[in-house]
């Protein structure tokens, strides 16, 4: 089964601050919704808590070490293998965060959807280092800052090559 990862990160690899996104990018949220609609979203408990609910039209799988964790409408997995089992019939499940889950899943991911935020921002959560020599940039699309997008950014799609 192919596995995809979707993330927005700044030039200094920041992906979060105080349990939230450290920017407002309306176009990135639209892209996230468009790409993930109808698919399984694999996320950690902290990411689920920051979202605060299941996202409509998608199946939420939360990875948690807490065997008693539960929330309405979600599937709970104790590890990545169990999470992938929930998504085994999905043609493209998405790993959506946070940092620990990204690091855990990265060795198994086939495709990366990265929004590169063209800014150095303060944050407390970072995307793990990425060896780009193992990936090929398949597409990129630049977007300027606007009244709905706080920073210029680029949508990139990467395919694993090694």
């Amino acid at each position: 089964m192919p596995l995809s990862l979707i993330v927005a990160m700044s030039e200094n690899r920041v992906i979060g601050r105080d349990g939230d996104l450290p920017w407002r990018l309306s176009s990135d949220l639209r892209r996230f919704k468009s790409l993930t609609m109808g698919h399984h979203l694999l996320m950690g408990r902290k990411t689920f808590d920051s979202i605060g609910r299941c996202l409509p039209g998608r199946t939420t799988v939360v990875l948690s070490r807490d065997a008693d964790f539960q929330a309405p409408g979600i599937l709970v997995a104790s590890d990545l293998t169990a999470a992938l089992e929930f998504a085994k019939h999905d043609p493209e499940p998405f790993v959506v965060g946070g940092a620990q889950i990204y690091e855990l899943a990265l060795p198994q991911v086939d495709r990366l959807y990265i929004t590169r935020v063209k800014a150095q921002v303060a944050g407390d959560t970072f995307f793990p280092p990425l060896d780009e020599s193992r990936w090929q940039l398949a597409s990129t699309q630049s977007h300027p800052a606007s009244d709905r997008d706080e920073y210029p950014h680029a949508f990139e799609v990467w395919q694993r090559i090694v």
Side-chain angles (χ1 to χ4, degrees), residues 87-98:
K88 68 182 176 186
H89 298 295
D90 188 331
E92 188 175 18
F94 285 85
V95 176
V96 301

Side-chain angles (χ1 to χ4, degrees), residues 14-28:
V14 167
I15 61 173
R17 180 174 57 226
D18 299 327
D20 201 0
L21 296 173
W23 46 69
R24 293 291 167 242
L25 296 173
S26 181
S27 62
D28 179 56

Side-chain angles (χ1 to χ4, degrees), residues 76-92:
V76 179
S78 59
D79 57 30
L80 185 59
T81 301
L84 291 171
E85 183 64 24
F86 281 128
K88 68 182 176 186
H89 298 295
D90 188 331
E92 188 175 18

